[in-house]
Amino acid sequence: MFTSHLVNLSTSVPYEEAILHPFLRDAANLALPHDRLAFWLAQDRIYAAQAYPRFIALLITKIPLDSTDPSVQGLSRRTLQVLVGCLDNIVREVNFFEDTARKYDLDIGGVRQGEGQVWLERKATRDYTAEMARIASLGTLEEGLVFLWAMEKLYLDAWSNVSSALRTKPESELGVTGEALRDLSYSWSNANPDFSNFVQGIGTLVDEYWAPLFQEVSDDRASRHVEAILRAERIWARVVELEAEFWPQLKEEEKMRIS
């Protein structure tokens, strides 16, 4: 499968740096400061509330829903169903962010400057959302789907590690930050079948688009699809890099608070 090929690629930023970042290790070890979790959650909400819906909407406009080819029609309709599911999911996600913040007193403030914003937006957040906009605007539907799956796959693997570690901790050791991390990590981990199936569904769609091209290239290195495969591999590598950069650094929250 093409998705397996991507996961096994050697990238300039190793996959492990994105899913085993010090932020995540601190989360798994109950060593993450409460404010650093709030700072990260505020950044992730910018991504979820602003960039992700625009990204998905642009991909939807690229689906050839007017095709008269029955095989294209079927794939197009499945693609639309998956992307509409992404929009439904992100609405729940943003609500979940805000409910969790209220429940555990995580000060994430407003999303926009001038509307109760507590944290400055990180450069890594801007870089990530800018790349999402670039791929969705200038890339093909197939490339956008690779980007989408890569984001969700990395998120799943990163938080599955945290969730697995936290399930071994006694309830008495968690504290408020640990309880928040337990809820957040479960939602985005393999322990949550809804999210795991969601990511798998996107991966299946990516394979449906890309596996025939990848097989042709594997059989014939002179195939006209070589450049397309290379672009998809570069997209995967770029998302790994962006994910690794998205996790806050040690004590970064101390200089990024607005109020």
Side-chain angles (χ1 to χ4, degrees):
M1 289 299 180
F2 188 57
T3 50
S4 298
H5 166 72
L6 293 176
V7 170
N8 290 315
L9 279 177
S10 176
T11 51
S12 58
V13 174
Y15 191 69
E16 290 72 21
E17 288 191 21
I19 67 169
L20 297 172
H21 188 276
F23 176 94
L24 295 163
R25 291 203 299 269
D26 283 349
N29 293 325
L30 296 177
L32 193 70
H34 202 70
D35 272 359
R36 197 169 307 150
L37 178 58
F39 174 51
W40 168 80
L41 193 61
Q43 304 300 313
D44 208 36
R45 188 176 59 165
I46 293 171
Y47 159 91
Q50 299 181 8
Y52 193 97
R54 295 189 186 110
F55 175 79
I56 297 299
L58 284 168
L59 293 191
I60 288 174
T61 67
K62 296 175 183 287
I63 303 173
L65 294 169
D66 58 349
S67 174
T68 57
D69 183 327
S71 63
V72 174
Q73 286 178 346
L75 182 55
S76 294
R77 289 168 184 167
R78 289 195 300 279
T79 304
L80 179 61
Q81 185 176 25
V82 167
L83 293 180
V84 169
C86 289
L87 290 175
D88 288 339
N89 193 58
I90 206 64
V91 170
R92 290 192 297 271
E93 193 93 328
V94 173
N95 290 334
F96 174 59
F97 285 175
E98 294 173 352
D99 291 344
T100 302
R102 284 191 293 270
K103 182 177 180 179
Y104 295 111
D105 195 27
L106 291 161
D107 194 2
I108 62 175
V111 177
R112 297 181 182 278
Q113 186 72 44
E115 296 179 3
Q117 190 178 15
V118 172
W119 305 100
L120 293 171
E121 185 176 355
R122 301 177 73 231
K123 178 182 182 299
T125 305
R126 294 193 299 273
D127 289 346
Y128 206 142
T129 58
E131 188 67 0
M132 291 171 74
R134 188 185 74 83
I135 292 294
S137 298
L138 303 179
T140 65
L141 171 64
E142 293 84 355
E143 290 166 353
L145 290 172
V146 169
F147 197 102
L148 171 64
W149 172 76
M151 293 191 297
E152 302 291 7
K153 170 65 174 169
L154 282 151
Y155 210 62
L156 173 68
D157 289 353
W159 284 110
S160 290
N161 291 328
V162 176
S163 180
S164 179
L166 292 181
R167 287 199 300 274
T168 69
K169 308 291 186 187
E171 187 80 20
S172 59
E173 291 183 9
L174 293 179
V176 175
T177 307
E179 290 176 2
L181 283 166
R182 178 195 56 196
D183 290 0
L184 291 166
S185 63
Y186 169 81
S187 180
W188 303 313
S189 74
N190 282 320
N192 179 1
D194 289 340
F195 188 64
S196 181
N197 291 337
F198 167 73
V199 178
Q200 184 176 359
I202 299 171
T204 298
L205 190 64
V206 169
D207 283 331
E208 194 164 356
Y209 276 100
W210 285 93
L213 279 64
F214 181 58
Q215 186 60 53
E216 182 179 317
V217 169
S218 298
D219 294 341
D220 177 11
R221 294 302 299 178
S223 166
R224 63 190 176 90
H225 298 304
V226 168
E227 183 54 39
I229 295 297
L230 291 174
R231 286 198 302 272
E233 291 175 348
R234 288 193 290 268
I235 287 170
W236 165 260
R238 179 59 173 144
V239 176
V240 172
E241 180 181 40
L242 290 166
E243 285 284 340
E245 293 172 350
F246 194 77
W247 305 109
Q249 301 300 317
L250 181 67
K251 297 185 178 181
E252 186 180 355
E253 74 280 5
E254 295 178 5
K255 59 184 179 182
M256 296 295 282
R257 180 180 281 275
I258 295 172
S259 58

